[in-house]
Amino acid sequence: SSLHLDIRFYDQNQVWQWAYLQNWLYVFKVPYGDKLLMHTWSLAVEEQFYLFWPALIVGLLSIRRFVGFGTSLAIITVSGAVLCIWFTGVDQPAAFYLLRFRVFQFAVGALLIPLMSSLQNRSANLPDLAPNLAFWAGLSCILISVTTLGGETVFPGYAVLLPTIGAALVLLSGALPGQLHAPARALMQNRFSIWLGR
């Protein structure tokens, strides 16, 4: 019966989930949104990233005499985004679920660290409105993503850039020298936001 098949798949799904390989199950076994435990596939991608990324960082640091650390991260980020966008047209489920096509989104966050350091060293050249502008531009990208991306959107593809850049700008705004204006501060530094972040 279909119920028996669902229960069998649920058990198999749990095994893949415990191994943090559930994203591979969905690439080869089922379409998105059809089965139980669907929401946990992204945890598999995160855990794979946490295993892979430290080794990559050590490798990048070992070659920083030849290629700067920030430059290496920028190359990984840009080439990863290009690969993700291109492969979405080749095999959309693989581009959606597999780490190799989504790692650039993690790399964007890592790239913010040397970028923030560079901007803080040049704080005298930054306009006072820079943190506020970065915050509102990032929040706008996120809100546009929430309101316009839907079931018909080919994702990740180019569409993945909007929420990724938006999140990066919001994070960047909090680290830029200077003060956020009152509305941005109210959204980012109220007790609930701080509690939620912790």
Side-chain angles (χ1 to χ4, degrees):
S1 71
S2 62
L3 176 60
H4 179 65
L5 289 174
D6 280 348
I7 291 171
R8 249 179 46 196
F9 184 85
Y10 180 80
D11 292 339
Q12 182 185 18
N13 205 345
Q14 280 191 312
V15 171
W16 285 71
Q17 179 189 1
W18 293 332
Y20 292 109
L21 295 171
Q22 191 179 17
N23 55 321
W24 285 91
L25 178 66
Y26 294 132
V27 169
F28 297 113
K29 297 273 185 178
V30 299
Y32 182 75
D34 282 359
K35 300 296 180 181
L36 299 170
L37 296 177
M38 196 71 209
H39 60 289
T40 59
W41 73 269
S42 62
L43 297 176
V45 176
E46 289 176 39
E47 291 303 322
Q48 292 161 27
F49 171 79
Y50 296 142
L51 289 172
F52 152 78
W53 192 253
L56 178 64
I57 293 297
V58 169
L60 295 181
L61 290 173
S62 69
I63 63 167
R64 69 180 181 270
R65 289 178 300 171
F66 311 104
V67 183
F69 182 68
T71 302
S72 297
L73 284 177
I75 291 169
I76 290 170
T77 303
V78 173
S79 59
V82 170
L83 179 65
C84 175
I85 292 166
W86 168 73
F87 208 78
T88 299
V90 175
D91 186 346
Q92 188 271 335
F96 186 91
Y97 287 115
L98 298 184
L99 175 64
R100 74 183 78 135
F101 303 113
R102 305 299 289 272
V103 72
F104 86 92
Q105 293 178 273
F106 294 96
V108 167
L111 186 60
L112 289 179
I113 296 170
L115 180 60
M116 288 172 181
S117 177
S118 174
L119 288 173
Q120 285 170 351
N121 291 336
R122 301 175 189 175
S123 58
N125 299 325
L126 290 174
D128 292 338
L129 286 175
N132 202 49
L133 290 174
F135 174 80
W136 288 112
L139 189 63
S140 297
C141 289
I142 293 169
L143 291 175
I144 291 169
S145 301
V146 169
T147 56
T148 62
L149 302 183
E152 304 80 26
T153 305
V154 179
F155 200 87
Y158 286 102
V160 77
L161 297 178
L162 196 59
T164 303
I165 292 169
L169 285 171
V170 170
L171 291 172
L172 185 63
S173 71
L176 285 172
Q179 295 294 319
L180 290 173
H181 284 192
R185 188 182 300 114
L187 283 172
M188 293 180 70
Q189 298 178 6
N190 63 74
R191 288 184 179 181
F192 176 75
S193 295
I194 293 170
W195 171 83
L196 187 62
R198 286 178 177 168

